[in-house]
Amino acid sequence: MKTYTNTGNKDTRSGFGAGLTELGQTNENVVALCADLIGSLKMDDFKANHPERFFQVGIAEANMIGLAAGMTIGGKIPFTGTFANFSTGRVYDQIRQSVAYSDKNVKICASHAGLTLGEDGATHQILEDIGLMKMLPGMTVINTCDYNQTKAATIAIAKHHGPVYLRFGRPKVANFTPEDQNFEIGKAVKLTEGNDVTILATGHLVWEALEAAKTLNEKGISAEVINIHTIKPLDDKAIIDSVAKTGCVVTAEEHSVIGGLGESVARVLSQHQPTPQEFVGTKDTFGESGTADQLMEKYGLNANAIIKASELVTKRK
Amino acid sequence: MPNTQQLQDLTTQVRRDILRMVHKVNSGHPGGSLGCAEFLVALYQEIMDRKDTFDMDGIGEDLFFLSNGHISPVFYSVLARSGYFPVEELNTFRLINSRLQGHPTTHDGLPGVRIASGSLGQGFSVALGAAQTKKLNGDNHLVYSLHGDGELQEGQNWEGIMYAAGNNVDNIISTIDLNGQQIDGSTDTVLPMGSIRTKFEAFGWTVLDIEKGNDIDAILEGMAKAKALTGKGKPVCVLLHTVMGNGVDFMMYTHAWHGKAPNDEQLAEGLSQNAETLGDY
Ligand SMILES: Cc1ncc(C[n+]2csc(CCOP(=O)(O)OP(=O)(O)O)c2C)c(N)n1
Ligand SMILES: [Mg+2]
C-alpha cells in the first residue's frame, strides 16, 4: 500500500496566506479584502506587500461581498477572507445575488471551517457551508486537505474564471501532498489503490482516511482512498470507476452529513452505480467548545470513525 | 443594597475569574471582558430589577442581552456570582461538554443566557424584539443590551437602530462599549466610524455618555439618568467610555489582548494586581 509522509504539521490557512502572497507578486489583478481578521486569515503579508490592493472593510461581511462583486467589474480578481461562518451563512443572499447569479469572479476564502476551530464553539463552527455553497448554480466548492494543497488551490483559483468557495481551517495538521503539485479544479486525486472499499474524503479528513487505510490494511481490508478536494464540480467518473471496482464507499468530511460531500456522492451513485455507502460527518447537530481533537473524537470525525464505517459498509455489499 | 466598596470588591473578583478562566484553556477574550467588568457588576447587582427566582421566562423583570458574545468570561463570572449557577462551574469554561461555551448559548440551558451570541451584530434586533414583547405583555420592565464599538460596523445594527426610533421602542437602554479597539487594531485604523453619538441621534435615539466607564459611581449615576429617560417615546443609548483590559496594567489601552490568554507569569502578574476578595472559584 502506498504510504504518505507528514513533512510537519502546518495549518491550511497559512497555505492560503502563502498562496495569496505569491499571487500578489504574479498577478496584479488580484486584490484582497478582509473583515477584521487579518491575522487569523494570514493575510498580513499580502497587506504589507500591496497596501493599495488590500481592503480592510471592518466587521461588515455583507459589505465585503458586495464590494468584491463590484471590484470584478473592470477586471479585478477579489479574494475575500473571513471565518467560514461569516463567509457563507452570514452573507448568503449577497453571495447568491451579487456573486453567483451575477457570475462574478469572486474568490470567497474561508478559514476556521468545521469543528476544528475548537474552543470558540458552535456559533463559529459552521458545518453547513459546503451545502450552502454547492447549492448555488455556478459556484465552485473546494475543501483542501493540507498546507501545500491549500497554497496550490489558492493560486489555481485565480486562473479559473467564476465564483469559487475555498474552504480551509485553523489547526496545524499533517502536510503530506507534494509541494509542487498542480492543482486541478474538479479532478479527484487517488491516494491509495484498493479493492475492498472506496474512501472518499475531503479537507482535514483526507489524512485521517490515509491513517484509517493503514489500519484497515492490517485487518485485511484494502481501501482505495481518494481526495475529493473539489466537491463541486464533482469528479463523477473517478468516483464511479472506483466503486465499480470496490463495490462500497465511505464518505468523510468535517461537515454535516446533510448537504455535504456524502450527499453529492450518493446522488451520483444512486443514478449511475447504486452502491452501499456509509457517511462520516456530523449527524444533524451543532458543534461545541473543546479542543479540535476532542471534538473530532466526540463527533466521530477521525480515522477510527472511518475504520468503523469501512468495516460496516464492506459487510453491506 | 450593596455599597460601592462591595461592588468594587466584586469587580476585583470578577477580574480574577476572567483571567483564570481564559488562562486555563489558553483561549477566550480577556480585553473586552475586563473593560466591561464594572458595568456588568453594577448592572446585575444594582441597576436591573431582577427576579430572585432565576427562572428564565423573561416575564416581570428587566432583561439583559449581550450582543458582543465574545466577552463571555465577564458575563459568566457576573452571572455566577449573581446566583444564576454555581461559581465552580466557571472551571468548565470552553471545555468539552460544558454549559459555558466559548460564546454564550441557550443550547445547553445555562441560566441567565437568553439568546446565543458570538456572530456579531445581531443583538440590537433581538433586544428590540424582547422590548416589543414587554410592551405587548403590559410588562413595565426594561430591556438592557451591550454591544462592542467595532461591532457597530455590522449593518444589521443600523437596521435595528432605525427600527427602534421609528417604532418608539422606549423601554430599552442599549450600551456601547466604547473602548476604541477591535481585533486588527483601533476602531479608527480599521474603519473610522466618526461620531457614534451623532449617528444615534440622527437615528432618533436619546444618547448619554458615561465618560468614566470603569468607575462604579459614574456608571450608577449615568445608568440612573438613562433609566429616567426611558418611557418618553425614544430609545436610549449609553456610550460607555471604557479601557480595554482595565485593571491589569499590561493589558490596558491595546487591542493586543482582545482574544489572547495570559501565560503563567502573566496570569500571576494580573492576579497580583487584583487581590482575592470574595474568594476564587
Ligand atoms: C459577524 C462576525 N464577524 C467577525 C467576528 C470575529 N470577531 C470577534 S470579536 C471581533 C472584534 C469586535 O470588536 P468590538 O466589538 O469592538 O469588541 P472588543 O474587541 O472591543 O471586545 C471580531 C471581528 C465575529 N465574531 N462575528
Ligand atoms: Mg471595541
Side-chain angles (χ1 to χ4, degrees), chain B residues 200-265:
Chain B
F200 271 91
E201 284 173 349
F203 276 67
W205 287 57
T206 301
V207 184
L208 71 94
D209 284 89
I210 299 180
E211 298 286 351
K212 291 183 179 170
N214 294 108
D215 179 304
I216 301 256
D217 286 323
I219 292 167
L220 293 176
E221 194 191 315
M223 292 306 283
K225 277 193 200 147
K227 241 191 232 188
L229 290 166
T230 58
K232 300 196 186 314
K234 284 173 144 200
V236 178
C237 168
V238 172
L239 301 179
L240 185 74
H241 298 251
T242 65
V243 175
M244 202 172 204
N246 186 60
V248 178
D249 60 10
F250 59 90
M251 291 188 177
M252 290 170 73
Y253 303 106
T254 167
H255 62 96
W257 295 90
H258 159 91
K260 191 174 95 176
N263 63 26
D264 293 349
E265 295 86 69

Side-chain angles (χ1 to χ4, degrees), chain A residues 34-40 56-62 85-86 90 119-125 170 285-291 294-295 298-299, chain B residues 25 27-29 94-98 100-104 107 116-122 150-156 182-185 189-191:
Chain A
C34 186
D36 197 21
L37 285 169
I38 296 171
S40 293
Q56 165 68 272
V57 304
I59 313 170
E61 295 80 9
N85 183 34
F86 314 138
R90 181 81 189 188
E119 289 83 353
D120 270 346
T123 51
H124 290 49
Q125 286 161 338
R170 174 179 185 235
T285 178
F286 289 102
E288 64 175 294
S289 294
T291 66
Q294 286 171 337
L295 294 169
K298 175 167 174 177
Y299 290 85
Chain B
V25 289
S27 76
H29 300 80
R94 286 183 168 239
L95 296 181
I96 197 162
N97 300 322
S98 167
L100 275 60
Q101 291 290 299
H103 295 78
H107 191 259
S117 59
S119 182
L120 293 167
Q122 305 189 21
E151 186 183 11
L152 290 182
Q153 293 158 1
E154 288 287 356
Q156 185 185 343
Q182 56 190 105
I183 291 185
D184 284 342
T189 53
V190 173
L191 181 63

